[in-house]
Amino acid sequence: YRGGSGSWTLDIAEYEDDYEAGVPADSLITVLSEKGYDPEDIRAEIEELCRRGEIYEPQSDEHYRTV
């Protein structure tokens, strides 16, 4: 995560190249949990980034890419 304007920005782009179909949510949660972030907060941030159009879900199976 990177802080900014009172909200978090999830750096999915860092992992995007490793996954053709987008970064799996479980992989993001694992990596960020190891850095000390709460899994529920991570899921909430993923949902918020989707709503704001900063990331998208190319398939409906919890894989994400940046726009």
Side-chain angles (χ1 to χ4, degrees):
Y1 286 99
R2 292 180 292 183
S5 303
S7 66
W8 292 343
T9 301
L10 187 58
D11 194 4
I12 292 175
E14 181 179 341
Y15 304 102
E16 253 180 350
D17 292 338
D18 297 335
Y19 300 95
E20 186 174 318
V23 182
D26 290 340
S27 295
L28 286 170
I29 291 168
T30 298
V31 167
L32 295 171
S33 292
E34 290 171 355
K35 293 181 179 182
Y37 294 99
D38 181 85
E40 289 182 29
D41 290 341
I42 297 165
R43 283 199 180 276
E45 180 63 12
I46 288 171
E47 290 175 19
E48 179 61 24
L49 291 170
C50 282
R51 276 194 294 275
R52 291 193 319 238
E54 294 182 35
I55 63 173
Y56 69 100
E57 192 173 4
Q59 301 173 358
S60 60
D61 59 354
E62 292 195 320
H63 287 70
Y64 299 94
R65 299 192 69 78
T66 54
V67 288

